[in-house]
Each structure stands twice: as structure tokens, then as C-alpha cells.
């Protein structure tokens, strides 16, 4: 195994994060703060508590997931798309590095960035609400698995995208609606029965539900099912990326 | 395939290409059963017009393009099945200025070295940057560099892991005189240290001045690979042009047994002769011309360059 290669790819990608630290951190922190001001204080104070949890507190896990998902995808997809775009990917392709080492470097870095952001967002939230985490280890497990799974998903998008528009289209048209409709800001039990059933097909529901359970022991679906669904999604991404590597999809002609 | 000279023949090939074919998804056949042995320590120039398949050949050797069929071994290792061992030996300088934008020169060459699994070596990399006149720019971001500087960075990246084989794809395309000179000095230095160099070019004078062997590629086929000297001797022609004082309509019968052509509307006689033979027959010819009553105005000799040979090959 070429550990040095994984190391330099990881370091290179993390360097990009530190160099743009202000943008990387400021935008999720500001948007989280805005959500809290609007939903938590202004509107939230008029919304009754859900399952005995104040609305401001209830949205913390969903809000964290929203940033986590979009940032994981954005970071990982850009990380692999940019060298493809400039052509500098030739070097990685001609180096004594296996595809899985390349993957570990890029996805590992993107997942690390998302994890750091997740912690920063939770820290920001603690200024607005009194945060309580009943199962911190489960919380970290869900956080880490989500970071890895969606960074992998972002990596796939970055490989697939042939231009900057395509890079944006999946996060904008698929991920954002799925997050908003996946019970990030409400409990699924508040929906009419038909829409409750529809929501069960939204993978984000399981992420948010499991993550929320680790905070409040309140969930829309069982925590076991949440965990299984994240692992299934992770597995599906791994299979897809393996297929892409095997065929040289959009990397090798 | 023609034999290389003695000094290379006794060695095993460091790169061995066997019936390599590549057909792109578009249906374009870029390589058609190319077989070639490259010997340790030599400089091989691959000549060919644009779109001949030079870059595809290099890309297939280096693992950037998947070949449709055929195989490549590098230092005895299969470039697909034993890609780690094979690729460690190779440095590649691509044709396009394909560099990132925001990293510094120093970081990018360290990245390259690490990617090839080599331990950090500040001393080596500093010396490398000095040799390429890049040391002053080590903290500059890549996007701020000029085209020539970027080309130097690409070379530094390719050499950062101390490769045994260096591929230079059109290294001097769009490069100024100074960089070109620096580049050839560097090639000479590398060669001295035993590095095998394969370069593609369409500047024939470059191949003529620097290469040990020359390969000509056209339409995805390797037309020939030969020692530069023997190529020029075997395929090169020498012509003696005899300018006459008065034009003639036909060659006098007494000169019929010389291979003469009447050129320039009867003003000149062209005598083509074999450069390798001991007796060129020039003395006898000149005497015969004089005996035929023709008087001479001037004499000059034309020798075909690699360029003429190349044009002949590619045209046929």
C-alpha cells in the first residue's frame, strides 16, 4: 500500500480547506445562526414543542445534517472534479497508486472537513439553545458515517460531472429537496398518513431520524433501521465507485 | 525491427511494447499494433505529424489510457498487473500545461514525490528547482507563473521522484529559446546519469541533434525505428548538382551509364550517389562531362535531412 500517496492527497485537500478557512467555516456558521434566529427564536417561539422538545432544539440535528450533506458533497465533488478539469489528474493516474488509495485520500479529506464543520455547527447551536446529547457515541457514529457516505457520493458526482453546471445540479435539485422533505425541520408524524408513507422512501429521513435519536431519544423510525440505511447507502456508493474505477469511467479513455 | 547498436543491444529493453492497439470510444484507431523496445540509457525521439498517435502511445505506457489490446512491460514489470513497480520507474511531462492553480511550486513537487511513494528529500528537490531555474519561484502559486515557468514546473514534478525513465511529450512546443536550451542541457545531464529518455516532437532538427534512435509514427503505426545515423545514411540521399554554362535538351549519350537527371529546365545535371560506397564515381563523371563538351558553371552537394526522410516516409 502506498501510504505516502494517501497522505499527500489527504494533506493537499486539507490544505485547500485551511487556505479557505474563512469561507469554509463562515458560511455554514452564518447560515446556521440565521436558521436559529428565524426558526428558533422568531417563529420557533410560536411553535409548540415537538415530542416535548422545544422547536429551536428540535431542529439542531436536522440543521447539522443539512450542512453536513451539502458540504460533504460540495467538498468531495470539487476535490476530484478540479484536477479532472485542469488536466492535472494525469499525475495521479500515472502514479503507482491504486484507485482505492486515491479514493481514501480524497474522500478521507472531504469527510474530515465535514466532520469538523459538523462539530463547529453544533458548537454554534449551543449558543442559541441548551444542547443536550443523550448518546454522544451514537451521535459521533452517525456523524462520521454520514460524512463518509456523502463524501463518497460527492466523489461520484465529481467523477460523473463533465462541467461546472453538472457539479451543481445534483446538490441543488436532489439533495436540498430531500433534506427539507426528510423531516429535518419537522417530525414526520405531523404529516398526513399518505405523505408519511412517501417520506419513508427518502433516505435522508433515516439519517436525520437516527441522528436526532442520539440527541433526544426521539425518532421517526427505529435507530437500528437508521443505521442499516446509512450502511446500505454507504455500500451502494462503494459499489458504484468500484464500478467507475474498474471501467475507468470518465477518468481513463 | 532494426537492431539497435551494440551498446544498447547487450542490454535488456527497459520498456517493451508488444502489439499495442488503442481504439477510442469514438471509433478512432489511435494505435495499430505498435511494437517497440526501448533500451536503458538511450534517447529515443518519436516523430510524427499531429494526430499520429504519439501522445496516445505515451499515455498507454504510463497508464493514463487503457489499451484495447497488447501489453507493455517497464523494467520487466507489466504496466497493468504490476503497475506499482512499473510506474515507480517513470516520470511523465505532459504536452499540455496541466497544472493546478492555487498550490505553490514547492508544495506541488512535494506532492508529486509523495504520490510516487518516495520519502521527503528537501535537498534533492531544492537542487532540482535550482537546476530548472525555479528556486526563486518556489513559494509562488502555480496560476501566477508564465507558460515557460509552468513547463519547468511540469518537468520538476516529473523528476521529483527520481525516475529511471522520462517521457517528454512535445517538450519544446511553444517554448522560448532559453528554456529550450536549458531543457536540452538537462536532457544531456539526465542521460549522463543513466536516465532513459523518450521524447515526442515534430521539430525534426531536435530529434536530429539529440536522439540516439528515431521512431516515426503515422496514423497509429510505427513506420520505423532506427539509429539516427544509419537512418540518415540508409534513407538519406546525397546529390551532386552540376550547373551547366549552357542549357541542354537531353543528356548526351556518352553519359547514359551514369544515373543522371536533367533538372532546372536543362540547366543542371543531378547525380545521386550512395554515401556508403567507397567509390562515388564523381571523378569519372566529371571527366566524362568534360569529354562530352559540356562546360560547368558551378557545383554543389545536397544531402537529405531527417526532415526530407520523414516527409518521404509519412507521404508514402
Amino acid at each position: 500500500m502506498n501510504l505516502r500517496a494517501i497522505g499527500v492527497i489527504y494533506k493537499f485537500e486539507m490544505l485547500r480547506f485551511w487556505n479557505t478557512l474563512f469561507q469554509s467555516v463562515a458560511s455554514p456558521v452564518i447560515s446556521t445562526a440565521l436558521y436559529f434566529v428565524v426558526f428558533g427564536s422568531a417563529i420557533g417561539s410560536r411553535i409548540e414543542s415537538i415530542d416535548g422538545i422545544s422547536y429551536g432544539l428540535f431542529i439542531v440535528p436536522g440543521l447539522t445534517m443539512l450542512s453536513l450533506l451539502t458540504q460533504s458533497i460540495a467538498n468531495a465533488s470539487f476535490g476530484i472534479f478540479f484536477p479532472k478539469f485542469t488536466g492535472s489528474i494525469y499525475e495521479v493516474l500515472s502514479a503507482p497508486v491504486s484507485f482505492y488509495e486515491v479514493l481514501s485520500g480524497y474522500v478521507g479529506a472531504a469527510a474530515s472537513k465535514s466532520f469538523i464543520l459538523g462539530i463547529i455547527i453544533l458548537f454554534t447551536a449551543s449558543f442559541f439553545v441548551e444542547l443536550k446529547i443523550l448518546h454522544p457515541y451514537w451521535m459521533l457514529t452517525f456523524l462520521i458515517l454520514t460524512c463518509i457516505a456523502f463524501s463518497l457520493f460527492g466523489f461520484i458526482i465529481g467523477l460523473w460531472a463533465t462541467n461546472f453546471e453538472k457539479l451543481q445540479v445534483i446538490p441543488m435539485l436532489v439533495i436540498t429537496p430531500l433534506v427539507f422533505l426528510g423531516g429535518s425541520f419537522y417530525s414526520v408524524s405531523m404529516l398526513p398518513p399518505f405523505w408519511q408513507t412517501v417520506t419513508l422512501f427518502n433516505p435522508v429521513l433515516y439519517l436525520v431520524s437516527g441522528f436526532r435519536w442520539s440527541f433526544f431519544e426521539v425518532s421517526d423510525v427505529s435507530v437500528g433501521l437508521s443505521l442499516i440505511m446509512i450502511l446500505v447507502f454507504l455500500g451502494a456508493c462503494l459499489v458504484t465507485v468500484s464500478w467507475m474505477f474498474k471501467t475507468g469511467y470518465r477518468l481513463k479513455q | 525491427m532494426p537492431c539497435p547498436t551494440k551498446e544498447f543491444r547487450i542490454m535488456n529493453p527497459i520498456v517493451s511494447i508488444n502489439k499495442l492497439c488503442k481504439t477510442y470510444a469514438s471509433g478512432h484507431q489511435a494505435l495499430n499494433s505498435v511494437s517497440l523496445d526501448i533500451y536503458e540509457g538511450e534517447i529515443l525521439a518519436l516523430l510524427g505529424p499531429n494526430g499520429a498517435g504519439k501522445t496516445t502511445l505515451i499515455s498507454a505506457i504510463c497508464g493514463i489510457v487503457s489499451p484495447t489490446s497488447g501489453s507493455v512491460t517497464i523494467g520487466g514489470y507489466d504496466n497493468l498487473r504490476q503497475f506499482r513497480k512499473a510506474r515507480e520507474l517513470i516520470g511523465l511531462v505532459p504536452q499540455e500545461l496541466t497544472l493546478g492553480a492555487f498550490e505553490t511550486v514547492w508544495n506541488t513537487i512535494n506532492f508529486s514525490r509523495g504520490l510516487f511513494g518516495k520519502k521527503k528529500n528537501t535537498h534533492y528537490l531544492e537542487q532540482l528547482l535550482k537546476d530548472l531555474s525555479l528556486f526563486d519561484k518556489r513559494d509562488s502559486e502555480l496560476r501566477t507563473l508564465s507558460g515557460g515557468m509552468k513547463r519547468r514546473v511540469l518537468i520538476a514534478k516529473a523528476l521529483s521522484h527520481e525516475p529511471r525513465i522520462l517521457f517528454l511529450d512535445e517538450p519544446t512546443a511553444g517554448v522560448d529559446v532559453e528554456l529550450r536550451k536549458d531543457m536540452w542541457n538537462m536532457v544531456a545531464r539526465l542521460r549522463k546519469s543513466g536516465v532513459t529518455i523518450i521524447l515526442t516532437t515534430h521539430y525534426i532538427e531536435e530529434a536530429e541533434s539529440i536522439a540516439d534512435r528515431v521512431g516515426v509514427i503515422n496514423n497509429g503505426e510505427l513506420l520505423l525505428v532506427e539509429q539516427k545515423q544509419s537512418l540518415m545514411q540508409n534513407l538519406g540521399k546525397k546529390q551532386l548538382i552540376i550547373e551547366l554554362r549552357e542549357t541542354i535538351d537531353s543528356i548526351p549519350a556518352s553519359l547514359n551509364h551514369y544515373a543522371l537527371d536533367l533538372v532546372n529546365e536543362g540547366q543542371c545535371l543531378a547525380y545521386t550517389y550512395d554515401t556508403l560506397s567507397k567509390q562515388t564515381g564523381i571523378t569519372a563523371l566529371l571527366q566524362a562531362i568534360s569529354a562530352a563538351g559540356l562546360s560547368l558553371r558551378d557545383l554543389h552537394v545536397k544531402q537529405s535531412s531527417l526532415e526530407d526522410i520523414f516527409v518521404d516516409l509519412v507521404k508514402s
Side-chain angles (χ1 to χ4, degrees):
Chain A
M1 193 142 96
N2 190 344
L3 285 175
R4 276 207 188 93
I6 301 177
V8 290
I9 295 175
Y10 183 87
K11 209 175 121 191
F12 176 83
E13 284 295 298
M14 289 308 280
L15 201 64
R16 205 158 55 80
F17 178 68
W18 299 122
N19 286 344
T20 55
L21 193 64
F22 184 73
Q23 294 102 296
S24 308
V25 173
S27 76
V29 167
I30 289 173
S31 65
T32 310
L34 285 174
Y35 273 106
F36 276 116
V37 169
V38 175
F39 291 110
S41 306
I43 301 176
S45 58
R46 289 160 189 248
I47 298 176
E48 54 187 282
S49 61
I50 302 171
D51 298 323
I53 301 155
S54 76
Y55 188 67
L57 193 56
F58 182 84
I59 62 171
V60 171
L63 210 48
T64 312
M65 277 291 166
L66 173 66
S67 286
L68 225 57
L69 261 51
T70 47
Q71 290 298 319
S72 295
I73 292 174
N75 276 324
S77 62
F78 188 79
I80 187 69
F81 176 79
F82 196 62
K84 238 176 53 171
F85 175 75
T86 59
S88 59
I89 191 80
Y90 83 89
E91 194 175 26
V92 174
L93 293 178
S94 64
V97 193
S98 77
F99 278 131
Y100 294 98
E101 287 156 3
V102 175
L103 188 72
S104 309
Y106 279 107
V107 172
S112 304
K113 292 180 215 176
S114 307
F115 180 76
I116 295 170
L117 276 180
I119 299 296
I120 291 175
I121 289 168
L122 288 177
F123 182 70
T124 312
S126 70
F127 285 96
F128 294 90
V129 289
E130 204 174 313
L131 208 57
K132 53 170 186 174
I133 303 168
L134 293 178
H135 302 283
Y137 292 113
W138 277 109
M139 191 278 282
L140 285 176
T141 307
F142 276 112
L143 196 65
I144 291 169
L145 281 177
T146 307
C147 290
I148 296 174
F150 279 81
S151 296
L152 253 178
F153 186 59
F155 189 83
I156 292 170
I157 293 173
L159 280 180
W160 164 80
T162 44
N163 54 43
F164 279 99
E165 284 73 30
K166 277 190 176 176
L167 206 58
Q168 300 294 338
V169 84
I170 300 273
M172 294 279 280
L173 294 183
V174 182
I175 299 302
T176 310
L178 282 182
V179 174
F180 273 86
L181 301 175
S184 298
F185 303 109
Y186 54 85
S187 168
V188 178
S189 61
M190 293 157 82
L191 297 175
F194 171 75
W195 290 107
Q196 283 192 27
T197 315
V198 170
T199 309
L200 290 178
F201 290 96
N202 182 348
V204 176
L205 167 77
Y206 300 90
L207 296 178
V208 174
S209 171
F211 197 47
R212 186 175 289 138
W213 175 85
S214 67
F215 282 76
F216 318 124
E217 276 185 350
V218 167
S219 63
D220 288 321
V221 291
S222 82
V223 61
L225 190 59
S226 287
L227 196 62
I228 289 170
M229 288 303 278
I230 294 185
L231 293 174
V232 166
F233 184 72
L234 191 69
C237 286
L238 275 174
V239 169
T240 310
V241 98
S242 299
W243 171 81
M244 284 174 139
F245 282 167
K246 214 168 179 183
T247 56
Y249 180 82
R250 292 205 174 148
L251 269 180
K252 283 191 182 190
Q253 288 170 304
Chain B
M1 189 176 300
C3 272
T5 52
K6 264 186 230 152
E7 54 174 319
F8 294 129
R9 203 169 12 188
I10 48 167
M11 293 179 221
N12 288 322
I14 191 157
V15 178
S16 191
I17 302 160
N18 187 21
K19 292 184 187 151
L20 202 65
C21 293
K22 175 64 189 179
T23 306
Y24 284 108
S26 61
H28 171 65
Q29 188 174 27
L31 293 178
N32 184 8
S33 196
V34 172
S35 292
L36 169 66
D37 283 340
I38 300 164
Y39 295 88
E40 192 156 15
E42 73 169 328
I43 299 181
L44 174 74
L46 288 170
L47 288 176
N50 287 328
K54 302 184 297 285
T55 299
T56 302
L57 179 60
I58 287 189
S59 301
I61 297 170
C62 297
I64 297 168
V65 161
S66 311
T68 313
S69 62
S71 63
V72 178
T73 60
I74 297 152
Y77 302 108
D78 185 277
N79 81 329
L80 298 178
R81 274 174 289 131
Q82 297 160 293
F83 73 94
R84 283 185 205 275
K85 293 270 184 202
R87 290 185 193 168
E88 266 172 19
L89 302 172
I90 292 181
L92 167 66
V93 181
Q95 186 176 345
E96 310 286 338
L97 296 175
T98 45
L99 278 174
F102 303 106
E103 63 266 36
T104 62
V105 171
W106 182 249
N107 283 345
T108 199
I109 60 168
N110 273 289
F111 175 81
S112 302
R113 190 175 167 90
L115 208 53
F116 279 75
K118 285 264 172 131
K119 222 163 69 186
K120 257 193 155 169
N121 186 337
T122 307
H123 176 72
Y124 172 77
L125 291 182
E126 277 180 358
Q127 189 56 47
L128 182 64
L129 289 186
K130 281 174 189 159
D131 289 346
L132 286 160
S133 317
L134 272 174
F135 195 66
D136 297 341
K137 300 274 180 191
R138 64 191 181 281
D139 295 322
S140 303
E141 283 189 10
L142 296 174
R143 69 199 163 105
T144 62
L145 300 178
S146 67
M149 284 294 168
K150 283 182 178 162
R151 174 87 48 200
R152 287 172 200 257
V153 173
L154 285 171
I155 297 170
K157 279 166 83 72
L159 293 175
S160 66
H161 63 278
E162 301 161 66
R164 308 265 301 114
I165 308 160
L166 181 67
F167 287 89
L168 294 161
D169 196 0
E170 302 274 357
T172 48
V175 149
D176 65 13
V177 181
E178 197 190 345
L179 176 50
R180 194 183 287 204
K181 225 172 66 193
D182 280 2
M183 192 125 55
W184 297 139
N185 286 339
M186 185 203 68
V187 166
R189 262 202 317 273
L190 286 171
R191 191 236 186 121
K192 240 186 212 162
S193 68
V195 175
T196 308
I197 294 160
I198 296 100
L199 60 102
T200 71
T201 180
H202 43 231
Y203 295 119
I204 290 152
E205 63 273 30
E206 243 165 48
E208 204 168 329
S209 67
I210 201 162
D212 299 304
R213 280 199 304 158
V214 174
V216 178
I217 295 191
N218 194 29
N219 292 326
E221 283 180 63
L222 193 61
L223 300 179
L224 63 83
V225 194
E226 246 180 85
Q227 289 295 317
K228 183 181 65 191
Q229 298 307 337
S230 63
L231 175 71
M232 298 191 51
Q233 279 173 351
N234 294 341
L235 293 175
K237 286 178 271 182
K238 219 164 183 180
Q239 258 186 345
L240 176 67
I241 308 290
I242 302 148
E243 221 174 295
L244 303 172
R245 211 170 272 284
E246 282 150 17
T247 56
I248 53 171
D249 299 328
S250 59
I251 298 168
S254 61
L255 299 176
N256 269 351
H257 64 282
Y258 294 98
L260 285 175
D261 292 308
L262 197 56
V263 293
N264 245 355
E265 293 165 346
Q267 198 142 48
C268 300
L269 290 169
Y271 174 59
T272 308
Y273 59 97
D274 185 357
T275 50
L276 294 176
S277 68
K278 272 189 181 159
Q279 296 199 327
T280 55
I282 291 174
T283 320
L285 172 70
L286 291 179
Q287 283 168 353
I289 288 174
S290 155
L294 302 172
S295 51
L296 310 182
R297 216 171 98 95
D298 201 358
L299 287 176
H300 47 102
V301 179
K302 242 172 68 177
Q303 182 162 22
S304 52
S305 65
L306 193 52
E307 178 153 11
D308 300 323
I309 299 169
F310 172 71
V311 169
D312 283 350
L313 273 171
V314 171
K315 268 192 189 155
S316 63

